[in-house]
Amino acid sequence: MNDAAAIFADAHVELFDALGVDAFMQRGTDAAVPVRVVVEDGVARVGEYGQVIGRNTLANFLRAQWVPARGDLLTIDGSTRKVESIDTDDGIVARVVLHG
């Protein structure tokens, strides 16, 4: 990792420490792993002509802690939701859409 990437990675760690919540991720029957996530609730899903066609809950993961995949389970405060799809992944942070 070059110096610039290391600076960005360190900045993201600090942001997750400040804005994130403790959670657990589980893939299949593997044991749950503790992670720190930043959750965005009620994010507008925009249609072809700019109209809001729905709202999603998104979760952001530091890839150094967990690389999410479709079907993974995220548990926060006893509430579990499934990863529906990967929204973005820049190599430092992966952003996923949660089901439901």
Side-chain angles (χ1 to χ4, degrees):
M1 184 180 299
N2 63 32
D3 290 341
I7 291 169
F8 281 112
D10 290 345
H12 278 86
V13 169
E14 291 178 18
L15 284 170
F16 273 70
D17 285 345
L19 303 174
V21 295
D22 292 324
F24 292 93
M25 284 302 294
Q26 184 175 8
R27 182 168 293 149
T29 58
D30 294 344
V33 175
V35 295
R36 186 98 174 149
V37 296
V38 175
V39 178
E40 301 172 65
D41 197 23
V43 177
R45 193 171 64 237
V46 180
E48 184 176 349
Y49 300 105
Q51 75 279 21
V52 175
I53 59 172
R55 303 229 173 243
N56 289 327
T57 300
L58 307 176
N60 297 276
F61 295 86
L62 286 172
R63 285 181 47 95
Q65 289 185 338
W66 184 266
V67 179
R70 189 167 192 246
D72 287 353
L73 299 176
L74 172 66
T75 302
I76 301 173
D77 294 332
S79 176
T80 301
R81 304 212 20 213
K82 187 180 283 191
V83 172
E84 186 175 299
S85 63
I86 308 300
D87 184 51
T88 60
D89 186 340
D90 66 7
I92 297 173
V93 174
R95 183 182 194 198
V96 303
V97 178
L98 298 176
H99 181 72

